[in-house]
Amino acid sequence: MSTFAVTRSAFIQAAPQDVFAHVNNFHLWGAWSPWEKLDPAMTKNYSGPESGRGAAYSWEGKKAGSGAMLIEAMTEPAGSTDGSGSIDIRLNFLKPFKNENHTLFTFVPEGDGTKVTWTMSGENKTLLSKIFAKVFSMDKMVGKDFESGLASLNEVVTSS
């Protein structure tokens, strides 16, 4: 079995609930997602509730490919005993490669802000994805996008 995980973290000088709100609502991703900036002309569709469990988002674009995300579970920071929160997302890529991944965001209070960790993990199930994984490092390919996205998330949250 060929698996992968890409993880990046950043400190954002804002309360966990404030950061959480920008990730928990797919309608707000346009302000910070590195892929939406890559392909601003892509078609986006939203379904389910506006935010939280059951919220869904799909996209199709020339540069960003196509896929869909669904918030499967979440814990709001305000409702947890330690002030931390998380968002579990099922991420399905359709183009250029078909694959299902798991994405997890965690929001942990740290000093006067929040440590945000973004992780994507999955399994290379097809022969093509297994070959691709032997040649290209997912961490090197996607890690910089996560860093860029977290930096943009920081700008959006701290400026609002």
Side-chain angles (χ1 to χ4, degrees):
M1 176 171 21
S2 173
T3 61
F4 69 88
V6 178
T7 300
R8 293 294 187 274
S9 296
F11 177 80
I12 297 180
Q13 199 160 357
Q17 187 64 30
D18 295 338
V19 185
F20 176 90
H22 287 273
V23 180
N24 195 41
N25 183 335
F26 291 130
H27 298 264
L28 302 178
W29 280 48
W32 63 269
S33 169
W35 297 289
E36 291 213 19
K37 291 177 182 180
L38 171 74
D39 198 350
M42 70 179 166
T43 303
K44 299 179 265 187
N45 293 299
Y46 305 94
S47 61
E50 186 167 318
S51 63
R53 186 169 187 216
Y57 165 67
S58 63
W59 71 92
E60 185 163 350
K62 290 183 180 183
K63 295 179 182 177
S66 64
M69 293 190 285
L70 171 71
I71 297 178
E72 294 189 310
M74 52 105 185
T75 302
E76 291 197 44
S80 72
T81 55
D82 64 356
S84 65
S86 64
I87 301 172
D88 286 292
I89 300 171
R90 181 175 11 138
L91 171 59
N92 291 308
F93 290 107
L94 302 173
K95 290 180 187 175
F97 298 105
K98 200 171 193 177
N99 205 8
E100 182 175 311
N101 299 321
H102 176 252
T103 301
L104 175 66
F105 285 89
T106 60
F107 310 88
V108 178
E110 191 173 280
D112 61 349
T114 303
K115 179 180 180 185
V116 181
T117 301
W118 184 357
T119 300
M120 180 178 70
S121 58
E123 182 180 344
N124 297 305
K125 296 178 182 178
T126 67
L127 178 61
L128 184 59
S129 66
K130 289 176 184 177
I131 293 169
F132 189 81
K134 289 184 185 277
V135 177
F136 298 100
S137 163
M138 284 297 286
D139 191 78
K140 287 183 180 176
M141 285 179 31
V142 179
K144 289 184 187 220
D145 291 332
F146 280 20
E147 292 165 12
S148 171
L150 289 169
S152 291
L153 181 61
N154 181 42
E155 289 175 24
V156 168
V157 172
T158 58
S159 69
S160 61

